[in-house]
Amino acid sequence: MTWSPLLFPTSRDKELRSLLIANLREEMSPLLKALSFVVFRPRKDATKGFPTHYYRKLADRIDVIRLQWMKYGQPAFIIDFNVIDNTSRYTSMAEEGSATWFIAPRYRAQANKGRYSERWFHIGYLPRLLDPRRAARKEVENACARIREIDKFAKTGQLSPYLRDLRPDKEANAKNSGV
């Protein structure tokens, strides 16, 4: 990634982030809608940015997905998610204007498996030089593959190699989920 000395986004970063957002709207939005996810607190101006918080409420659980962008406008994001089995804490769903949000996501979806660090979805150095549009499309396709794995995990409970638990303390997990 291109980092400016003052940690502010460069014009190239803004261009790459715009490419990612355009591809997210084109590829990921329809996928999330097809999987019954709804935008949490949608903006009145839907043309700005890309919504980052999604949920779907089923009879026995609530599935939550959050896209987290890297700080300072860098063109990179990661996907956090959770499956909330104890829905009694959320008797009314949050609507536009509500300040309510679900518990912090417990799991994270990575672009690929890293041995020591997580890998964010971003356009690498060489791809941004060769064909940034194609690279952005490929990263979003990769992110959509993780969304499908999240859906499978919510249904079956099986973590893929690209999905991992963020919190090692199982007691904290049980306490936070209200179990």
Side-chain angles (χ1 to χ4, degrees):
M1 271 182 268
T2 309
W3 294 89
S4 68
L6 300 174
L7 293 176
F8 292 106
T10 64
S11 60
R12 184 69 173 157
D13 287 341
K14 289 179 184 177
E15 179 185 324
L16 293 172
R17 185 173 166 136
S18 295
L19 283 173
L20 283 172
I21 288 173
N23 280 286
L24 285 169
R25 283 187 183 160
E26 187 178 313
E27 298 290 326
M28 191 177 286
S29 286
L31 174 62
L32 288 168
K33 285 180 186 174
L35 296 174
S36 303
F37 280 94
V38 179
V39 176
F40 174 79
R41 291 177 62 192
R43 293 181 179 167
K44 291 187 174 151
D45 185 4
T47 61
K48 290 186 178 181
F50 184 78
T52 56
H53 292 74
Y54 296 86
Y55 72 94
R56 70 177 170 194
K57 186 172 183 179
L58 302 170
D60 59 339
R61 69 178 192 273
I62 301 171
D63 301 329
V64 180
I65 292 178
R66 179 182 73 185
L67 275 71
Q68 178 184 341
W69 286 95
M70 190 170 275
K71 288 183 179 181
Y72 308 113
Q74 301 299 322
F77 64 92
I78 202 157
I79 304 169
D80 293 335
F81 64 99
N82 200 357
V83 176
I84 302 168
D85 293 326
N86 182 2
T87 59
S88 63
R89 291 179 55 198
Y90 306 100
T91 54
S92 63
M93 289 308 293
E95 296 176 7
E96 186 175 350
S98 169
T100 309
W101 180 238
F102 306 106
I103 60 174
R106 177 178 171 186
Y107 300 97
R108 175 159 285 177
Q110 305 178 102
N112 64 15
K113 292 188 298 183
R115 190 173 187 142
Y116 300 107
S117 65
E118 61 201 17
R119 163 82 158 65
W120 292 56
F121 298 92
H122 76 283
I123 302 171
Y125 293 116
L126 188 56
R128 73 175 55 181
L129 294 173
L130 298 175
D131 189 356
R133 290 185 189 282
R134 182 173 180 224
R137 188 171 48 252
K138 186 168 174 59
E139 281 301 303
V140 172
E141 286 173 2
N142 195 10
C144 288
R146 297 297 94 75
I147 294 291
R148 289 184 192 93
E149 290 174 15
I150 290 169
D151 181 52
K152 183 178 178 185
F153 169 74
K155 292 174 182 172
T156 65
Q158 276 187 320
L159 281 173
S160 79
Y162 300 102
L163 307 179
R164 68 180 183 90
D165 194 339
L166 287 172
R167 297 187 223 152
D169 184 11
K170 297 300 177 192
E171 281 186 17
N173 289 339
K175 183 178 176 182
N176 287 336
S177 64
V179 176

